[in-house]
Amino acid sequence: MKKIAKLVASSLAAVAILSLNSVGASAEWKKDNVGWIYSEGNSSHITGWKLIDGNWYYFNSSGYMAYDTTIDGYYLNSSGAWKYSDSDLIDQELIKNISIQNPHFYIRCYGDDANMQNIGNIFQSEINKLKITNSYEMFNVNNYNLSITRYGSGPINITIDCTYKMNAQMEAQLDVKARSIVEGIAPNSMSQVEKERAIHDWIINNTRYDQSYSIYDPYNTLIKHTGVCEGYSLLAQKMFTIAGIKSIVVEGKADGQDHAWNLVYIDGKWRHVDCTWDDPVSYRDVLQYDYYNLTDEEISNDHTWDSTKYPEAN
């Protein structure tokens, strides 16, 4: 499988996700019959996002604090605070930007859990987590460059440059074509068990393994009817999702080689489905069920993976 490359360099980050000043010495909370406001310096109240005593708050155009609501994708509790960690911030900003194939974006970390020595590790850890919870989006990252800067004891600035396997147009075309196929082979009148089998069979009957090892994305796997294991599993993930079937892409090894396949939640249980290995390289089309809906124990005869990261299939 192709690995996501990472380069840590040093550069200037001029733009932040949330660009706000620290609390000033003359800052003060005030409450009236409408709600809480926050004044600072000569201003009677502030508006927008504000970092106060380690928590983020949002103040509307009239200066009143928002609470029990979501602003810009961040939930503010009954006290009005978004209590965050740098891991949470990185996680949210990564999926938000990668979902729209943003090639260049910034993250600014203010929390106490990150420093210049461990921020790269935190970033990679969040990438690894999102590859499980948001497989389809994260596997679309071809590579990324990560630049980290900090001035004194101020916030840590992260600049991310990404390239993607599929652009927005390719993904839109994939979505239309995959939905059309799923509607034809796995209509809503079918049970989830029947839909799962129909999708498994369609992929195997319409795809051959890419022996040039150059096609990793689900778009080209579908359009060209060929791909490596990553292409098979991501196409399956896309089609399962359209059919309303929960699934995950698993990274591991098969016979000692890097490999990818799916975990599918079917009939209240997780099961392993390896479309690639059910489609052996042959001069003719072969449809097998040797790696269809297997338990952890059954597939572990020749597949290995970090079982602590994935749901149990027992």
Side-chain angles (χ1 to χ4, degrees):
M1 289 177 60
K2 193 170 184 178
K3 302 292 186 181
I4 293 180
K6 180 177 73 171
L7 172 65
V8 179
S10 188
S11 70
L12 296 179
V15 180
I17 299 298
L18 299 172
S19 54
L20 294 162
N21 297 321
S22 300
V23 176
S26 60
E28 181 183 9
W29 282 99
K30 298 178 182 178
K31 191 176 189 300
D32 60 21
N33 60 344
V34 177
W36 287 96
I37 61 174
Y38 193 80
S39 62
E40 187 175 42
N42 296 324
S43 174
S44 60
H45 64 265
I46 64 169
T47 60
W49 286 100
K50 188 69 181 180
L51 180 65
I52 304 171
D53 296 330
N55 296 318
W56 285 103
Y57 297 86
Y58 184 84
F59 300 88
N60 65 25
S61 58
S62 299
Y64 288 100
M65 180 192 75
Y67 63 95
D68 285 336
T69 188
T70 299
I71 303 291
D72 296 334
Y74 304 101
Y75 177 72
L76 302 170
N77 62 23
S78 58
S79 299
W82 172 48
K83 295 186 177 180
Y84 72 100
S85 67
D86 287 312
S87 297
D88 294 333
L89 179 61
I90 289 171
D91 184 281
Q92 292 185 50
E93 294 302 329
L94 274 174
I95 196 62
K96 181 174 74 176
N97 285 278
I98 286 172
S99 295
I100 59 172
Q101 295 94 36
N102 192 350
H104 185 74
F105 56 98
Y106 304 90
I107 302 175
R108 175 169 284 179
C109 296
Y110 292 86
D112 296 329
D113 56 327
N115 56 53
M116 288 296 286
Q117 284 68 46
N118 71 1
I119 192 67
N121 292 332
I122 292 175
F123 193 91
Q124 184 60 55
S125 176
E126 293 311 304
I127 285 277
N128 293 337
K129 290 177 185 176
L130 287 170
K131 287 179 78 174
I132 297 172
T133 60
N134 298 81
S135 305
Y136 184 77
E137 294 86 358
M138 297 308 296
F139 275 93
N140 192 37
V141 178
N142 190 45
N143 60 67
Y144 70 86
N145 294 335
L146 180 65
S147 300
I148 306 169
T149 59
R150 187 176 202 173
Y151 300 102
S153 59
I156 296 175
N157 301 305
I158 309 173
T159 306
I160 302 98
D161 292 291
C162 284
T163 60
Y164 299 92
K165 296 169 185 149
M166 296 187 296
N167 59 34
Q169 183 179 7
M170 293 166 66
E171 188 169 350
Q173 291 174 355
L174 168 65
D175 187 71
V176 170
K177 188 168 181 63
R179 286 184 184 279
S180 176
I181 293 168
V182 171
E183 287 172 4
I185 65 171
N188 288 332
S189 57
M190 283 186 173
S191 68
Q192 285 207 324
V193 172
E194 292 170 327
K195 289 180 180 181
E196 179 200 18
R197 189 180 182 108
I199 290 168
H200 168 274
D201 292 359
W202 190 93
I203 290 173
I204 292 170
N205 287 331
N206 290 274
T207 314
R208 289 196 173 221
Y209 190 78
D210 174 27
Q211 298 188 66
S212 71
Y213 306 105
S214 60
I215 297 177
Y216 290 80
D217 66 275
Y219 171 82
N220 281 295
T221 300
L222 179 62
I223 300 301
K224 298 179 180 179
H225 300 285
T226 184
V228 298
C229 58
E230 190 173 310
Y232 272 75
S233 56
L234 287 169
L235 179 57
Q237 173 87 354
K238 177 68 175 179
M239 295 176 76
F240 286 143
T241 299
I242 292 170
I245 299 171
K246 187 176 182 179
S247 65
I248 297 171
V249 175
V250 181
E251 279 190 297
K253 291 182 181 294
D255 277 353
Q257 300 295 315
D258 289 337
H259 190 53
W261 64 96
N262 296 89
L263 266 169
V264 178
Y265 191 72
I266 201 78
D267 269 359
K269 296 179 180 179
W270 286 101
R271 288 292 181 261
H272 294 269
V273 176
D274 190 341
C275 292
T276 309
W277 275 43
D278 271 348
D279 189 16
V281 176
S282 172
Y283 67 91
R284 61 187 179 87
D285 288 329
V286 179
L287 173 61
Q288 298 181 166
Y289 297 94
D290 295 344
Y291 295 88
Y292 184 72
N293 284 354
L294 302 187
T295 64
D296 288 346
E297 183 178 1
E298 289 169 336
I299 202 169
S300 63
N301 289 329
D302 42 35
H303 287 52
T304 59
W305 67 101
D306 186 347
S307 59
T308 63
K309 296 181 179 179
Y310 299 93
E312 294 182 354
N314 296 323

